[in-house]
Amino acid sequence: MEQTRLVKYADLIIKAGINLQENQTVVISSPIETAGFARVLSEAAYDKGAREVVIDWNDELSKRIRYMKAPSEIFDEYPEWKKQFYQFYADGGAAYISIAAEDPELMKEVDPERIMRAQKVANKANKKFRDRLMSNENTWNVVSVPTVSWAKKVFPDLTQEKAVESLWEAILTSVRVDTSDPVRAWQEHKKNLEQAIDWLNKERFQQLHFENSLGTDLFITLPKGHIWTGGAEVSQQGVDFIANMPTEEVFTLPHKRGVNGKVVSSMPLQYNGNLIENFSMIFEEGKIVDFSAEKGYESLKGLIQTDAGSAYLGEVALVPHDSPISNTGILFYNTLFDENASCHLALGKAYPVCLENGTALGETELDKAGVNDSLIHEDFMIGTGDLTITGIKENGHQVPVFTKGNYAMKW
Ligand code: ZN
Ligand code: ZN
């Protein structure tokens, strides 16, 4: 990829993504395969006034070797220094950039139980840090850069080089880098999303009903005081930032105990190096009471059984079927992209910012208000070209929200 476009991408992430403040520290989590781009990001951050750029390298192949060969007991351990690493910079007000790029099926030979235990112990150790980010106490941004193994999965018929090049093109187009002023293009994009957000916030639906021919027939109650949001976030210090690039979704939280019916997945879900495909779940009073998966059943089971909150929903997000990423027709096997091509739900923790006054409430009050808590937050895609969503108001009045996969309203 040409250096000038990479620099433009990095500038966009630093300026609009985390919206770096003078003298702020930046922590970048990067796979070693994407080191080249992490360095470009690092330079861009210093050029824009960063105090220090700290890089948290990870190597998925070493991780796989560890999963395959290490004695079982280590998967219940998490080192204190690593927990302190994240917490230390968070306490100092750092901004976090995470490069999401993984081989979607790297861990398929690994015992899913090992992955589940390791994930659980890591999430538990880092709960305070993760809660901090999910409450926007620190600014954060998730982006992607191609790796060879990921690109080959997305474009199996192309040569390695062509596959990487094609994935780069798809990524850079989706984040609007090739516009003359990408930061401005994002401001306009935000305004477009705000039209849907404003409408949904005005309608104040008590319930949403999702239906399609895959078999989804799901009622989702929205808690009193729910807030639809999307496009951009505001940190608790008042700094605008963009948590995901790309982002095409508007989202809020379901009432933890107010979800009933069946939901069927519309795309594979990549979770911890495994693919979960053609899966469905049945909800009663918010809780998953039954589930199935044609592929990756054990991974799905591990995900749902992580803790008490992982069998409940924490997010409902709307994305038109006719949207830029969906229209590329590419299945990315990476949730950052696939979730922005499809309406989706998330298992696990809800964003307290989606409830009026939510960030000021304690654990018990949040639960009472219907805000789910969990060690996990995992989006999965349910949108299709024939999806219907009906909004139901407190007085029973019904309003079409989506017809044939797209907003029923035109703005
Ligand atoms: Zn989402
Ligand atoms: Zn989510």
Side-chain angles (χ1 to χ4, degrees):
M1 186 45 56
E2 309 95 69
Q3 193 66 13
T4 47
R5 286 170 83 196
L6 296 185
V7 171
K8 238 174 136 183
Y9 186 27
D11 278 347
L12 175 69
I13 294 165
I14 301 296
K15 278 191 213 159
I18 55 168
N19 190 0
L20 178 76
Q21 305 294 296
E22 190 69 34
N23 226 23
Q24 193 179 17
T25 294
V26 180
V27 180
I28 303 173
S29 290
S30 170
I32 55 172
E33 286 93 336
T34 61
F37 185 69
R39 292 183 198 115
V40 178
L41 261 180
S42 177
E43 272 202 79
Y46 282 118
D47 288 345
K48 305 276 173 308
R51 180 172 186 266
E52 191 187 2
V53 180
V54 180
I55 307 195
D56 170 30
W57 298 109
N58 52 71
D59 174 24
E60 60 178 4
L61 291 172
S62 303
K63 200 165 143 188
R64 182 174 188 278
I65 293 168
R66 183 174 178 268
Y67 273 134
M68 297 297 285
K69 307 252 169 178
S72 174
E73 77 250 23
I74 68 152
F75 302 106
D76 297 316
E77 294 166 10
Y78 193 83
E80 188 63 24
W81 65 264
K82 214 166 173 185
K83 174 180 162 183
Q84 277 169 10
F85 169 84
Y86 295 110
Q87 198 59 44
F88 173 80
Y89 292 106
D91 289 343
Y96 287 78
I97 299 172
S98 176
I99 299 178
E102 332 179 72
D103 179 337
E105 286 193 287
L106 185 68
M107 304 299 175
K108 77 177 169 202
E109 262 102 55
V110 174
D111 177 0
E113 208 234 333
R114 288 189 162 205
I115 301 179
M116 196 187 87
R117 280 159 54 208
Q119 186 74 52
K120 193 171 169 176
V121 78
N123 287 355
K124 217 170 181 170
N126 292 319
K127 173 112 177 55
K128 211 172 134 202
F129 168 71
R130 290 162 58 91
D131 285 357
R132 231 189 129 111
L133 262 52
M134 281 186 79
S135 307
N136 296 343
E137 277 183 65
N138 292 70
T139 56
W140 55 282
N141 171 264
V142 185
V143 289
S144 271
V145 172
T147 60
V148 173
S149 54
W150 174 30
K152 277 295 286 179
K153 179 79 192 178
V154 181
F155 301 105
D157 301 333
L158 302 182
T159 62
Q160 276 194 5
E161 209 178 309
K162 280 261 176 340
V164 169
E165 203 57 28
S166 300
L167 189 51
W168 258 126
E169 288 299 338
I171 291 172
L172 293 183
T173 308
S174 74
V175 295
R176 302 171 163 79
V177 160
D178 293 320
T179 50
S180 58
D181 184 348
V183 175
R184 199 149 155 204
W186 270 87
Q187 280 161 353
E188 270 156 34
H189 175 48
K190 257 158 52 182
K191 269 194 211 134
N192 283 333
L193 290 175
E194 268 159 24
Q195 294 183 301
I197 291 167
D198 290 347
W199 180 72
L200 288 161
N201 279 332
K202 232 173 43 220
E203 291 291 323
R204 307 236 51 85
F205 293 118
Q206 192 186 46
Q207 222 177 28
L208 296 177
H209 181 202
F210 288 71
E211 287 171 289
N212 68 13
S213 61
L214 281 181
T216 291
D217 186 358
L218 188 72
F219 286 90
I220 296 180
T221 303
L222 305 175
K224 276 213 170 68
H226 67 270
I227 298 169
W228 288 91
T229 181
E233 315 262 335
V234 187
S235 78
Q236 292 194 16
Q237 292 74 33
V239 177
D240 282 309
F241 72 101
I242 298 166
N244 286 350
M245 285 179 150
T247 187
E248 301 290 336
E249 64 177 292
V250 308
F251 65 98
T252 189
L253 48 81
H255 192 292
K256 178 180 176 176
R257 290 169 293 272
V259 182
N260 288 286
K262 181 179 180 179
V263 70
V264 182
S265 69
S266 61
M267 283 187 207
L269 170 64
Q270 192 272 114
Y271 179 62
N272 283 336
N274 279 289
L275 287 178
I276 307 171
E277 293 183 58
N278 300 325
F279 56 101
S280 66
M281 301 165 190
I282 294 172
F283 290 85
E284 270 174 33
E285 290 176 19
K287 192 176 182 184
I288 297 171
V289 292
D290 196 14
F291 60 93
S292 69
E294 276 177 25
K295 202 179 149 189
Y297 179 82
E298 287 303 317
S299 295
L300 181 62
K301 189 174 159 197
L303 178 63
I304 292 171
Q305 296 181 349
T306 305
D307 59 16
S310 53
Y312 293 84
L313 294 182
E315 177 186 327
V316 49
L318 309 185
V319 181
H321 188 68
D322 185 16
S323 75
I325 298 172
S326 175
N327 288 340
T328 63
I330 301 170
L331 183 57
F332 285 86
Y333 298 103
N334 179 314
T335 301
L336 178 63
F337 294 89
D338 293 332
E339 69 166 314
N340 283 304
S342 171
C343 283
H344 57 269
L345 305 172
L347 289 175
K349 189 175 169 65
Y351 290 96
V353 289
C354 290
L355 188 78
E356 277 168 30
N357 206 28
T359 53
L361 300 182
E363 247 174 68
T364 335
E365 294 161 306
L366 284 171
D367 186 75
K368 217 175 135 200
V371 184
N372 191 29
D373 190 21
S374 171
L375 293 174
I376 58 136
H377 174 97
E378 200 61 38
D379 289 10
F380 62 97
M381 287 59 77
I382 63 160
T384 52
D386 69 347
L387 180 69
T388 298
I389 307 173
T390 309
I392 305 163
K393 299 212 173 181
E394 214 172 343
N395 61 11
H397 185 62
Q398 301 199 356
V399 181
V401 179
F402 266 48
T403 47
K404 294 204 179 99
N406 292 303
Y407 282 107
M409 282 286 294
K410 291 278 166 281
W411 294 283

